[in-house]
Amino acid sequence: MIFKRSSRPFSLATRLTFFISLATIASFFVFTWIMIHSVKAHFEERDIHDMKQIGATLETVLSHQEEPEKQRLEILQNVVAGYASVSVMLLDTDDRPVFQSAIGPDLSAILRDPALASELRAGNVLSWHDPSPHQGMHNNEPLDNSTWRLMMLPIGKKADGTQAYNLLMALSINFHLHYINDLKNKLMIMASIISIIVIFIVLFAVYQGHKPIRSLSQQIKNISSADLGVRLNNEDVPIELERLVISFNHMIERIEDVFNRQANFSADLAHEMRTPITNLVTQTEIALSQPRSARELEEVMYSSLEEFSRMSKMVSDMLFLAQADNNQLIPEKETLDLAAEVTTVFDFFEALAEERGVALRLEGHTSLVEGDPLMLRRALSNLLSNAIRYTPRGGTITVHLRAGEGEVHIIVENPGTPIAPVHLPRLFDRFYRVDPSRQRKDESSSGIGLAIVKSIITAHYGRVSVESDIKSTRFILTLPAKHRQQIPVQ
């Protein structure tokens, strides 16, 4: 049963566009926040500086002790009138109002709030929103100011040198707030426009950045079964795609190898099957060309039976190799004594070896492995059959059992004509023959015996190899050892 995903993952272009745009827009908003915060801090610093300067000016007016207090307050009123956005209240040391600006917020309401009064007397600068900003304190003049910055300063000296007054000042900051709000609105509009521009720029950049991928995809799309020899150039792509191209080329190499082997295998199989079928057709046509005796027909049937047997063996071997190719060749796991298995195979080939004038000999140590006895016997049988076929009369075929580091080596050695090095890597290929002219020398040979050997040993997690020189030819099977304990063969 196939389960489908409810939704397809977002494309790489969408992901890149989203994250890059998000990072860019977030950076812009952080910059905007820092800029607005800096503007606010600058305005606050400037307001405090202005209020301190106003306080210093008023303190100068109040410091003239030779003038009567009433006259000083009149001068103070004239000075304060010159600051349109400033409202002040002068308090004596007992917090009684001595002077208050004619226009401005009701500063006495601030002093009636214990929390605000305490913060101001502690020297803190506060922002305060007038709850009734549209009416003045002493008249009904409409006022536009509603948000104020508050500060309280001790000013003036009495004759005895003690503090004379507390000056409560309120500076309108509506102009600053209007500027900051206007700046925020403009920045938000700019942010929206810039965000849209950034998204389109990122989309275009991602599209262009994916151009090598589209080009690579088109090249891969154009590769067909007739172009398996084509390889992509990893130097023509960005470094991020280099490993992908190399991996793809390796995959194509493996596919080409399998495709060629399959094509060759099909051709070889057709060739091998054609010979016995041709023989059967020819014999049957000859038998039917004229009347035959019962004995002659019996001989034709026996000859046909030999061809059928050869075809049956070939089909059986092909089914075995097909199972190996599809990883369906699962050997049984039994603990085997290789010396005993070789001896069993020797007993089977003893008569054939005597007929060919060839001796069989076992050398080495008993070694234990885990495997399928029938499969391993079949592999050994194929090697011995091959060795007997090409060993000259009077020669000796020797099977060596040698222990390695966690491995067991089975070496089937036979004297005879050496095999050229160019043929050694392909001896385990299906239907491969060193000398094609010897194809029909032995009708029992299907040409895939060594391929079956390789499949069996590979299924047992082993490996095969072959060596050949003037002295002898050696087929080497390597299997994992059961354990390292070795017992000499008696």
Side-chain angles (χ1 to χ4, degrees):
M1 185 175 182
I2 300 176
F3 295 93
K4 294 184 178 180
R5 293 176 59 94
S6 58
S7 60
R8 187 173 183 176
F10 291 111
S11 67
L12 293 178
T14 302
R15 296 182 187 184
L16 286 173
T17 302
F18 174 76
F19 286 111
I20 295 176
S21 301
L22 180 64
T24 305
I25 295 171
S27 300
F28 180 77
F29 276 101
V30 169
F31 168 77
T32 301
W33 181 85
I34 293 175
M35 185 173 66
I36 293 176
H37 180 75
S38 299
V39 171
K40 286 182 177 180
H42 171 74
F43 283 156
E44 182 177 358
E45 182 181 355
R46 185 66 185 176
D47 291 343
I48 294 173
H49 178 267
D50 291 343
M51 294 171 73
K52 285 182 178 180
Q53 281 191 333
I54 295 172
T57 301
L58 299 181
E59 185 173 17
T60 302
V61 173
L62 296 173
S63 64
H64 296 291
Q65 298 293 335
E66 65 278 4
E67 297 179 358
E69 182 179 16
K70 182 178 180 180
Q71 186 175 357
R72 281 181 287 166
L73 294 178
E74 290 177 356
I75 297 173
L76 180 64
Q77 184 174 0
N78 294 330
V79 172
V80 172
Y83 298 99
S85 59
V86 176
S87 178
V88 300
M89 174 182 280
L90 192 64
L91 306 170
D92 60 14
T93 53
D94 295 327
D95 285 341
R96 292 192 299 268
V98 177
F99 171 82
Q100 184 165 341
S101 300
I103 299 176
D106 184 5
L107 298 182
S108 61
I110 299 172
L111 297 177
R112 288 194 295 268
D113 187 334
L116 287 176
S118 176
E119 288 285 334
L120 290 170
R121 290 191 178 94
N124 296 324
V125 179
L126 306 177
S127 293
W128 175 69
H129 183 74
D130 187 359
S132 56
H134 299 293
Q135 185 168 328
M137 177 179 175
H138 300 297
N139 52 47
N140 293 329
E141 294 183 16
L143 298 176
D144 294 331
N145 300 334
S146 59
T147 305
W148 306 80
R149 201 178 305 280
L150 305 177
M151 175 185 285
M152 182 176 284
L153 296 173
I155 63 172
K157 299 291 183 181
K158 294 182 180 179
D160 57 1
T162 59
Q163 178 183 332
Y165 306 102
N166 282 320
L167 179 63
L168 177 59
M169 288 186 293
L171 175 66
S172 174
I173 59 174
N174 277 313
F175 177 79
H176 300 336
L177 295 179
H178 289 162
Y179 174 81
I180 292 173
N181 289 332
D182 185 57
L183 179 62
K184 285 182 179 179
N185 293 333
K186 290 180 178 178
L187 288 176
M188 289 299 295
I189 295 174
M190 290 179 61
S192 301
I193 296 174
I194 291 176
S195 299
I196 295 174
I197 294 174
V198 165
I199 290 174
F200 280 105
I201 291 176
V202 172
L203 279 173
F204 178 76
V206 170
Y207 179 81
Q208 289 297 110
H210 285 173
K211 187 175 181 180
I213 298 179
R214 294 194 300 273
S215 176
L216 188 64
S217 176
Q218 186 61 38
Q219 293 181 52
I220 294 174
K221 183 180 179 181
N222 292 334
I223 296 177
S224 64
S225 58
D227 304 317
L228 292 178
V230 174
R231 297 294 179 269
L232 303 180
N233 190 354
N234 59 292
E235 296 182 355
D236 292 341
V237 298
I239 191 171
E240 293 83 2
L241 299 178
E242 182 179 10
R243 295 304 309 170
L244 176 63
V245 171
I246 293 175
S247 299
F248 177 80
N249 287 338
H250 289 167
M251 181 190 70
I252 286 294
E253 288 178 3
R254 294 192 295 270
I255 293 176
E256 182 184 21
D257 178 65
V258 172
F259 188 84
N260 290 337
R261 289 172 57 188
Q262 189 68 29
N264 294 336
F265 170 74
S266 300
D268 292 337
L269 179 61
H271 178 74
E272 292 293 326
M273 295 293 289
R274 182 180 61 183
T275 300
I277 291 176
T278 301
N279 291 342
L280 289 170
V281 172
T282 302
Q283 291 174 2
T284 304
E285 288 177 345
I286 293 175
L288 295 175
S289 62
Q290 58 185 357
R292 302 289 180 180
S293 64
R295 182 173 180 80
E296 289 175 336
L297 292 176
E298 184 178 354
E299 290 179 355
V300 171
M301 293 180 68
Y302 272 119
S303 178
S304 298
L305 181 61
E306 291 180 359
E307 296 295 342
F308 284 129
S309 298
R310 183 165 179 264
M311 292 173 62
S312 176
K313 183 177 183 302
M314 185 181 301
V315 171
S316 176
D317 290 344
M318 293 309 305
L319 290 175
F320 184 88
L321 289 176
Q323 288 182 325
D325 290 342
N326 294 321
N327 297 320
Q328 296 177 352
L329 196 63
I330 304 176
E332 299 289 338
K333 295 293 183 180
E334 296 183 16
T335 300
L336 303 177
D337 179 357
L338 285 180
E341 297 300 322
V342 173
T343 301
T344 300
V345 176
F346 276 3
D347 292 341
F348 180 78
F349 282 96
E350 184 176 0
L352 178 61
E354 288 181 358
E355 180 184 346
R356 297 291 183 94
V358 176
L360 304 177
R361 183 174 62 184
L362 172 63
E363 291 185 355
H365 298 79
T366 296
S367 300
L368 300 181
V369 298
E370 281 191 347
D372 189 313
L374 295 180
M375 287 188 183
L376 291 179
R377 289 174 191 172
R378 184 173 186 178
L380 291 172
S381 298
N382 287 352
L383 291 179
L384 283 176
S385 174
N386 189 68
I388 291 173
R389 187 178 305 115
Y390 296 111
T391 299
R393 181 172 293 276
T396 300
I397 300 173
T398 306
V399 177
H400 305 272
L401 298 180
R402 296 177 183 174
E405 187 67 23
E407 298 177 331
V408 175
H409 303 286
I410 308 172
I411 305 174
V412 180
E413 180 180 14
N414 69 281
T417 304
I419 302 174
V422 68
H423 298 295
L424 295 180
R426 299 197 58 191
L427 283 183
F428 293 96
D429 291 350
R430 302 170 188 179
F431 300 116
Y432 183 79
R433 300 179 188 276
V434 175
D435 185 1
S437 64
R438 298 166 64 180
Q439 180 175 347
R440 301 294 296 170
K441 179 178 179 180
D442 193 333
E443 298 296 334
S444 63
S445 173
S446 63
I448 55 177
L450 294 181
I452 291 177
V453 172
K454 182 178 180 180
S455 297
I456 291 174
I457 300 303
T458 301
H460 284 78
Y461 305 103
R463 59 186 185 275
V464 298
S465 60
V466 60
E467 301 173 352
S468 185
D469 51 34
I470 299 177
K471 181 180 178 182
S472 62
T473 298
R474 297 169 295 281
F475 288 88
I476 305 170
L477 311 182
T478 303
L479 294 170
K482 174 68 173 177
H483 53 69
R484 297 186 182 180
Q485 181 179 359
Q486 304 294 332
I487 305 173
V489 177
Q490 301 296 327

